[in-house]
Amino acid sequence: MSQQLLFDEIKIKSLELGFDEFGITDLENFEFNSLKIMEFVKNKHHGEMKWFKDKLEIRKNPKNIWNDAKSAIVLGINYGPINNPLKDLTQIRKGYISIYSRRRDYHKVIKSKLKELARFIQKIKPSEVKIFVDTAPLMEKPLASAAGLGWQGKHTNLVSKKYGSWLFLGVILTNIYFKNKKNINSKCGSCKQCITICPTNAIVKPYSLDARRCISYLTIEHKTHIKKEFRIKIGNRIFGCDDCLAICPWNKFAKKYSDLKLNFIKKLNLPSLEMFLNFEEHDYRRYFVGTPVRRLGYNRFMRNILIAAANSKNSSLVKSVLRYLDSNSDIIRAMAIWALFCLSKNRFFKEKSKRFNVEQIFEVKQEWFNGEEI
Ligand code: B12
Ligand code: SF4
């Protein structure tokens, strides 16, 4: 079979499986922006993501994962929302879950499709393949860009002409050689909207993100206390952030995702904060089963809910917040104090007089100092 025919057959199958974008790149001379990844780590922009630093050397080249790999087949699935999610940020009594997580875990959905595509490839051309979604030390965005799916925008995510910023990526490495490196040049021009809209100034310069400031990192990856400077800026976002993606002008051309593809879960569309405040751990587990939010764990989830509750201006939540002052978890207890401070100063001082002296944990005790600032 000619290389072109093989390429076409794989492409057709990928579309049949529900992938929206497809491209292939060879892996020759690939030292993916090595200097830039090193700069990311040198500047400590990876924050607590130790796994990023630990596998830094492997990340520099896909061949470091698998030496016999000759090409990367890169797939994209569109998850563009029906409505502009920026409007959801005004619903401050509801929790904002980022668009990618309002559905069945994309890792599982994409992995099963990649497996099927990989089996198909091996059937039509005996070969070796390995599949990847998100978690391996593989630079998926630069690979996608080299394969012609789009370009890395100034927010650092891949932007596609057809789908704007709303694309999940998946990769199949293969030992079949395809000569096909397209590398589309950036089409961001002088636009800086993603940089300007970022509530926490996490995009420190075009194409460079300080993850430690990114709300996606803070609400999903960061395991401990969230610094005061970020709490108000987090608003009602309880899992991830989409602002820099949502503002991108290329979304104008984005087609809307098909419900069938990524199993949208309606109850994850702006759920009530009050409901979550009344969740026990087993409620949390049951509610988020099969979704990315489940990987957060109850303590971090409740930390995020309490920050959103603090920002809700809804003083009727005080009663629900109070019970978290007795939580065994430091990060929950600390954010309950913060939420109480934001929602009711009277109640804050009343509780402070009872609890300040008995609190043993420094970071939590610090939260009781809030009152000193007014
Ligand atoms: C770590 C990680 C994060 C971290 C850090 C993000 C980051 N930008 O680095 C955090 C937790 C913050 C995060 C958040 C999100 N993530 Co994430 N994340 C990843 C992961 C696992 C690795 C990314 C990585 O390598 N980062 C390290 C930096 C150094 O790499 P980089 O961003 O590519 O940086 C390059 C550019 O800056 C470039 N560069 C530097 N200077 C210049 C100058 C010019 C001119 C150019 C052209 C390039 C350039 O060089 C660097 C090295 O290649 C990937 C999956 C994977 N295995 O690739 C998913 C991934 C990138 N995430 C994804 C998603 C969807 C998100 C969120 C939208 C989720 C959400 N809604 O909350 C946010 C978006 C935040 C943002 N603005 O980036 C998708 C992105 C899909 C796409 N269309 O690009 C991926 C690919 C997962 C997937 N398989 O779909 N994520
Ligand atoms: S995801 Fe949100 S916080 Fe992170 S860079 Fe984009 S706009 Fe900023």
Side-chain angles (χ1 to χ4, degrees):
M1 189 184 293
S2 76
Q3 199 174 82
Q4 186 58 49
L5 192 58
L6 185 58
F7 181 96
D8 291 344
E9 291 270 348
I10 302 173
K11 181 172 181 174
I12 291 166
K13 184 69 184 176
S14 77
L15 298 175
E16 265 173 37
L17 286 170
F19 288 110
D20 298 295
E21 283 280 14
F22 168 91
I24 304 187
T25 175
D26 62 61
L27 301 176
E28 282 171 8
N29 307 318
F30 251 130
E31 278 291 321
F32 283 138
N33 302 310
S34 289
L35 285 175
K36 286 157 189 159
I37 323 174
M38 279 154 61
E39 192 184 304
F40 184 71
V41 171
K42 198 177 118 228
N43 291 334
K44 300 193 168 38
H45 285 171
H46 62 295
E48 280 178 355
M49 296 183 289
K50 195 173 163 292
W51 46 268
F52 191 92
K53 188 180 171 188
D54 291 348
K55 301 265 170 72
L56 186 65
E57 285 308 309
I58 304 181
R59 271 171 216 282
K60 288 180 182 170
N61 193 324
K63 282 179 173 284
N64 295 342
I65 291 194
W66 178 29
N67 199 26
D68 291 338
K70 301 251 175 349
S71 315
I73 302 169
V74 188
L75 291 311
I77 289 199
N78 166 35
Y79 66 99
I82 308 279
N83 300 314
N84 185 344
L86 292 173
K87 288 193 188 125
D88 294 355
L89 300 173
T90 57
Q91 305 239 20
I92 57 176
R93 292 184 176 204
K94 309 252 170 91
Y96 180 95
I97 296 177
S98 60
I99 297 298
Y100 89 88
S101 337
R102 296 185 192 182
R103 46 183 42 85
R104 238 186 92 208
D105 197 335
Y106 75 95
H107 296 91
K108 290 183 190 151
V109 179
I110 295 187
K111 205 170 224 170
S112 75
K113 288 181 193 297
L114 287 178
K115 274 189 189 158
E116 209 171 325
L117 186 61
R119 275 196 294 273
F120 172 81
I121 297 169
Q122 287 181 308
K123 209 163 105 191
I124 57 170
K125 166 99 182 168
S127 54
E128 283 183 56
V129 289
K130 294 192 196 304
I131 62 172
F132 304 89
V133 192
D134 198 21
T135 46
L138 191 68
M139 302 292 286
E140 293 175 346
K141 294 179 283 182
L143 268 176
S145 155
L149 271 68
W151 65 96
Q152 278 188 261
K154 289 178 187 170
H155 51 32
T156 79
N157 282 328
L158 191 93
V159 184
S160 126
K161 272 189 185 171
K162 274 197 234 152
Y163 302 105
S165 292
W166 308 106
L167 264 191
F168 289 129
L169 300 176
V171 177
I172 300 180
L173 291 184
T174 167
N175 63 352
I176 309 171
Y177 178 78
F178 286 94
K179 184 152 189 57
N180 203 9
K181 201 176 272 164
K182 286 198 179 135
N183 238 337
I184 300 174
N185 288 333
S186 167
K187 299 199 186 307
C188 293
S190 58
C191 175
K192 282 191 186 150
Q193 293 192 56
C194 58
I195 301 178
T196 316
I197 199 173
C198 175
T200 49
N201 301 321
I203 307 169
V204 287
K205 57 181 186 195
Y207 313 101
S208 179
L209 180 94
D210 182 349
R212 294 169 303 178
R213 304 188 66 83
C214 174
I215 293 172
S216 177
Y217 166 85
L218 290 166
T219 54
I220 302 175
E221 299 289 338
H222 184 68
K223 295 189 171 57
T224 53
H225 300 279
I226 293 179
K227 283 189 192 156
K228 216 184 269 179
E229 68 170 299
F230 298 124
R231 293 180 201 160
I232 291 173
K233 291 170 179 164
I234 284 174
N236 64 342
R237 299 171 192 81
I238 58 171
F239 190 86
C241 172
D242 294 310
D243 295 21
C244 56
L245 309 191
I247 197 77
C248 177
W250 283 94
N251 292 335
K252 275 205 289 274
F253 309 106
K255 297 181 181 147
K256 306 302 171 205
Y257 75 92
S258 143
D259 245 359
L260 290 174
K261 282 185 200 159
L262 277 161
N263 310 20
F264 179 73
I265 301 173
K266 210 170 167 198
K267 68 178 179 182
L268 302 184
N269 202 27
L270 290 172
S272 129
L273 292 173
E274 188 168 13
M275 171 183 76
F276 285 148
L277 279 174
N278 292 314
F279 267 20
E280 299 296 342
E281 185 159 355
H282 61 266
D283 301 314
Y284 157 77
R285 285 169 189 256
R286 204 173 302 133
Y287 195 87
F288 290 108
V289 70
T291 77
V293 185
R294 175 79 182 264
R295 279 182 285 129
L296 199 55
Y298 178 74
N299 290 354
R300 278 193 276 163
F301 171 73
M302 205 43 85
R303 171 200 66 187
N304 297 350
I305 297 297
L306 285 160
I307 292 177
N311 293 329
S312 72
K313 300 191 167 68
N314 180 3
S315 54
S316 71
L317 297 183
V318 166
K319 201 166 154 245
S320 309
V321 166
L322 282 172
R323 73 183 182 106
Y324 293 102
L325 295 176
D326 295 317
S327 169
N328 290 330
S329 153
D330 302 352
I331 60 169
I332 292 183
R333 216 159 61 245
M335 283 313 92
I337 300 171
W338 168 254
L340 189 59
F341 175 70
C342 295
L343 294 174
S344 164
K345 301 281 181 290
N346 277 348
R347 195 62 201 244
F348 172 84
F349 287 112
K350 207 166 147 195
E351 295 300 325
K352 182 177 179 176
S353 63
K354 285 190 279 180
R355 296 170 184 269
F356 178 77
N357 287 334
V358 286
E359 179 58 58
Q360 300 288 317
I361 305 295
F362 176 76
E363 286 83 358
V364 184
K365 207 161 179 130
Q366 284 293 98
E367 295 298 329
W368 286 120
F369 279 119
N370 281 324
E372 312 296 326
E373 291 170 9
I374 53 169

